[in-house]
Structures are given as structure tokens and as C-alpha cells.
Amino acid sequence: MKNILLTIEYDGTSFFGWQRQPEKRTVQGELERVLSVVCRCPVQVNGTSRTDAGVHALGQRASFKGDFGIPTDRLVVAANNILAGGMNSIGKIGDLRIVSAEEVPEGFHARFDAKGKKYVYKILNCQETQIFSRNQYYQVRKSLNIEAMKQAALYIKGTHDFKCFQAAGGEEKKTTVRTIYDLQITEEKNELGKRTIFIEIKGDGFLYNMVRIITGTLVEVGSGKLPAEAVQDIVESGQRQKAGHTAPPQGLYLSKVYYKLEDLAGL
């Protein structure tokens, strides 16, 4: 019996999220379908994060067990070939790809052994409508004050009860206390003056829609709707209605999953 840990990347635009659903195309469902063919046995995949519809991944992790003979490296090649279109895949790129696979100890579980995650949220901050970026960025037309956003981010870093950044409808958690180890906000401008803002957030766990609500709150600070210091009061209040809007899914990327605490905390 092998226990395999996968690293996966995907464009979430055409998926109804990670978790398998009847009659709907999901990342978990596609992986299980393809891996079951490659391994010639039923495969059930356990993912680290249940990303929502439209959310992307650069480094999603998932594990599965099976009694199959195909070598691990060939498993990746065969699965990616099917995911890209099979015999007609020459020159094609699919929206889901296994980046790597490795054998791990029998008791390892991709979700329960994870120590934390890093997400990246991408904002396109310009006036002109960008139709070719609509599925990869959140476009905000009003110019954002990035220094105010950085100031607000200081109130989010650390260990807090983040109930104010939790949307209704998610899985009920035993506690809403989380630790945000790092929250960086940077920007880039291209030769045409288009401005992209990146919010990179690393923590030991995230509540339902937490990163998207944090992003929406920071956008409201950057646009002048909220003062930076109001974020401290928002966190302390624990009230969702005081925080900003929920930013749309297409700008969100699951960037990395950590399995060692020292890597997560930067020790």
C-alpha cells in the first residue's frame, strides 16, 4: 500500500471548487477520476484546502493511498497526459496539473498534518476594463493607497480571534483564534502604467473566506472608506458586519502548504 503526497496547481475558473459534488466538475472529482484510471483502482484524494469556485492554486497539496504498481514518477506523467486531453493533448494545456508526487509514511495525511498555508491575492488597480485578466485578478478602479493598507495590515498580524473575518456557511470550527505570521503588501507597475497589488498572507489556519474578507477590508482602507486604525477595532469587536466586503474569488491563489512549523514561522 502506497501513500502519495501530491502538489497540484489549477486555474479554478471552470471548477465548482475543490470538493467533489454530484454532476459538477470539481478539482477533487477530476483528480479522483484520472488517478483511478491511471492506478487501475478506486482512488479517494484528501486535499489540504477546500478552495471555493473560482479560486486558484499554485501549491495545493493532497494525499491518497492505493495498492498499485505504476511508479510514482510515471503516475504524474500519465495523469497529466489525461488531464491535458489524452491522445489529443499535443500542444494543449489543461486547467489542472499535478506538479509533483512523492511517497510519504503510511500515517501521513495532507490536511491533518499541515501546519499552515500561504495565500496570495492579486489586485489589478487601474481604470480601464481588463477583460483578459478578469478570471485571475480583482480589478479595483479607484486608486488604492498602499501605505494605508500596509499600516492596516499591522493590526492583523499576530494571534487574534478572527471571528470578524469569517463568512457564514462554512464548516463550524472549535475556535476562531488563528495566528497570522506574515502579511505583506507589494505592488508592481508595467511599462503601460498598469498597477498590480499583491497581498501575501501566511498563517497557521484560515476561517471560511477569511483571506477574501481581509482583502476586502484592506481595499476599503486603501480606497479611503476606512481609516487604517479602524482595523484594530474591527478585529477586537469580533463582528463580521464591521469588516469590509468579501473580495471576489478570482484574485485568490493558494500558494503554499507548510508541513514544518519552522518553515511556516520562519524560524
Side-chain angles (χ1 to χ4, degrees):
M1 180 72 70
K2 295 179 182 178
N3 191 13
I4 305 295
L5 175 63
L6 304 174
T7 302
I8 311 148
E9 63 182 8
Y10 50 86
D11 177 340
T13 304
S14 299
F15 291 101
F16 285 85
W18 165 268
Q19 194 168 6
R20 75 174 76 86
Q21 301 178 53
E23 307 302 323
K24 290 185 177 179
R25 186 172 185 258
T26 68
V27 179
Q28 183 183 31
E30 278 293 280
L31 282 173
E32 291 180 344
R33 178 185 67 82
V34 170
L35 290 171
S36 295
V37 171
V38 172
C39 296
R40 298 184 179 181
C41 65
V43 168
Q44 289 192 347
V45 172
N46 298 302
T48 301
S49 182
R50 298 175 182 178
T51 52
D52 288 337
V55 175
H56 315 293
L58 305 171
Q60 169 74 289
R61 309 299 290 274
S63 58
F64 71 95
K65 294 181 179 181
D67 186 8
F68 47 86
I70 184 171
T72 303
D73 57 341
R74 293 302 303 167
L75 181 152
V76 174
V77 174
N80 282 336
N81 181 59
I82 298 173
L83 288 169
M87 294 179 63
N88 300 315
S89 64
I90 297 176
K92 290 185 178 180
I93 301 175
D95 54 6
L96 169 61
R97 185 176 78 94
I98 298 174
V99 177
S100 65
E102 59 182 298
E103 292 192 41
V104 290
E106 182 181 353
F108 180 89
H109 191 286
R111 180 183 179 190
F112 299 133
D113 286 337
K115 303 300 182 185
K117 307 166 194 170
K118 178 171 71 175
Y119 285 92
V120 175
Y121 197 98
K122 300 182 181 182
I123 298 171
L124 194 59
N125 191 205
C126 64
Q127 288 280 347
E128 300 79 14
T129 299
Q130 305 295 311
I131 64 168
F132 295 111
S133 302
R134 69 189 186 282
N135 292 324
Q136 286 76 39
Y137 298 85
Y138 173 24
Q139 183 172 359
V140 178
R141 289 179 171 79
K142 185 173 183 178
S143 181
L144 297 175
N145 182 340
I146 194 170
E147 294 305 318
M149 295 169 70
K150 289 179 179 180
Q151 182 63 37
L154 297 177
Y155 298 113
I156 298 173
K157 291 175 65 174
T159 302
H160 307 283
D161 186 336
F162 285 112
K163 188 177 181 180
C164 64
F165 294 138
Q166 177 179 243
E171 179 184 346
E172 187 173 350
K173 303 294 185 180
K174 292 181 180 179
T175 176
T176 49
V177 174
R178 298 289 186 274
T179 299
I180 298 301
Y181 288 98
D182 199 16
L183 204 174
Q184 298 291 329
I185 304 174
T186 57
E187 65 176 317
E188 292 180 359
K189 289 183 179 179
N190 66 11
E191 65 278 4
L192 300 177
K194 292 179 183 177
R195 184 189 191 202
T196 305
I197 297 174
F198 302 91
I199 299 174
E200 185 177 289
I201 183 167
K202 183 167 67 171
D204 63 356
F206 295 90
L207 305 170
Y208 183 52
N209 280 351
M210 180 172 167
V211 177
R212 290 167 59 188
I213 298 172
I214 287 175
T215 298
T217 303
L218 292 175
V219 166
E220 294 192 14
V221 170
S223 63
K225 292 182 179 180
L226 287 172
E229 57 271 18
V231 174
Q232 182 176 14
D233 295 331
I234 291 169
V235 173
E236 291 176 353
S237 75
Q239 298 179 40
R240 170 65 187 94
Q241 61 268 31
K242 289 190 174 183
H245 64 279
T246 302
Q250 66 266 22
L252 183 59
Y253 297 74
L254 173 58
S255 177
K256 191 170 184 178
V257 177
Y258 297 91
Y259 290 106
K260 296 181 180 179
L261 185 60
E262 56 266 33
D263 293 339
L264 171 64
L267 300 176

